[in-house]
Amino acid sequence: SQTIHQWPATLVQPVGSPLSLECTVEGTSNPNLYWYRQAAGRGLQLLFYSVGIGQISSEVPQNLSASRPQDRQFILSSKKLLLSDSGFYLCAWETGSSEAFFGQGTRLTVV
Amino acid sequence: DAKTTQPPSMDCAEGRAANLPCNHSTISGNEYVYWYRQIHSQGPQYIIHGLKNNETNEMASLIITEDRKSSTLILPHATLRDTAVYYCIAPRSAGNKLTFGGGTRVLVKP
């Protein structure tokens, strides 16, 4: 069966520190991968989208970057976190022909 | 993506049917309509999707109008655990990305 792993579940980081969130998918090949951010009480904002290894589409200008070093691995990074980077980060995958599956999310608080 | 429009919020009585509307007037002929819901502090969960015909599964029913410009998600017997934000999306258009609008915040009341 297909599963998606996202970690850590919660993270508290100081302003200016680096960030690395990892997402891995099992049980499927060549998925489309997504990173979203959700501020408190707000909707899901698409941050990055990838259709294959090394292919990353950035949806909004921001302090974050994404990489896809392997087919089923998607990493969200920042060199220096800002207070405004706080939020709920979600990874998701889909194959273009059926529903999407989401990770459990990472709640990031930048202090 | 085809733009979808949903009411921002609605209340529903426990045990009654909840009918959630969605307008997608710019949807193309081969574009599916998907419904997801997000319970507080969790990732979105797939509910159902459809193209032209009405669909039903263990979670809900989806009614799509003949002109495909709108659809309605029906939760037949709402429970308190159905309180969530419900998203209607039509992702299979140019760009083919999964983007979400504001959704409908459904509050099921006892």
Side-chain angles (χ1 to χ4, degrees), chain B residues 22-52:
Chain B
C22 178
N23 289 323
H24 33 77
S25 58
T26 61
I27 197 170
S28 61
N30 62 349
E31 198 169 352
Y32 282 79
V33 176
Y34 286 76
W35 283 82
Y36 291 80
R37 74 178 183 184
Q38 186 178 22
I39 296 171
H40 182 62
S41 297
Q42 297 182 23
Q45 174 192 24
Y46 164 80
I47 301 173
I48 199 168
H49 72 283
L51 182 63
K52 294 182 181 179

Side-chain angles (χ1 to χ4, degrees), chain A:
Chain A
S1 63
Q2 305 99 337
T3 57
I4 179 169
H5 301 282
Q6 184 182 344
W7 67 91
T10 60
L11 192 60
V12 180
Q13 292 283 99
V15 169
S17 65
L19 173 74
S20 180
L21 301 180
E22 187 164 346
C23 174
T24 60
V25 180
E26 296 178 358
T28 188
S29 297
N30 197 30
N32 297 325
L33 297 173
Y34 299 80
W35 276 111
Y36 297 88
R37 177 172 59 203
Q38 188 170 36
R42 307 295 295 274
L44 290 161
Q45 180 186 36
L46 179 60
L47 300 177
F48 298 98
Y49 167 63
S50 173
V51 298
I53 297 174
Q55 300 178 61
I56 310 293
S57 171
S58 175
E59 297 301 307
V60 293
Q62 58 201 310
N63 184 43
L64 303 168
S65 62
S67 62
R68 185 171 178 175
Q70 301 180 49
D71 181 45
R72 291 171 289 179
Q73 184 184 28
F74 206 22
I75 299 171
L76 183 70
S77 304
S78 174
K79 293 182 179 178
K80 291 184 178 181
L81 284 169
L82 307 173
L83 288 174
S84 57
D85 291 324
S86 293
F88 188 50
Y89 288 83
L90 284 159
C91 178
W93 74 269
E94 49 92 18
T95 59
S97 61
S98 64
E99 69 267 31
F101 297 88
F102 287 78
Q104 289 303 302
T106 296
R107 188 160 303 282
L108 172 67
T109 304
V110 182
V111 296

Side-chain angles (χ1 to χ4, degrees), chain B residues 84-101:
Chain B
V85 179
Y86 288 76
Y87 297 98
C88 164
I89 62 174
R92 302 296 166 237
S93 62
N96 218 27
K97 293 171 287 189
L98 203 62
T99 56
F100 291 79

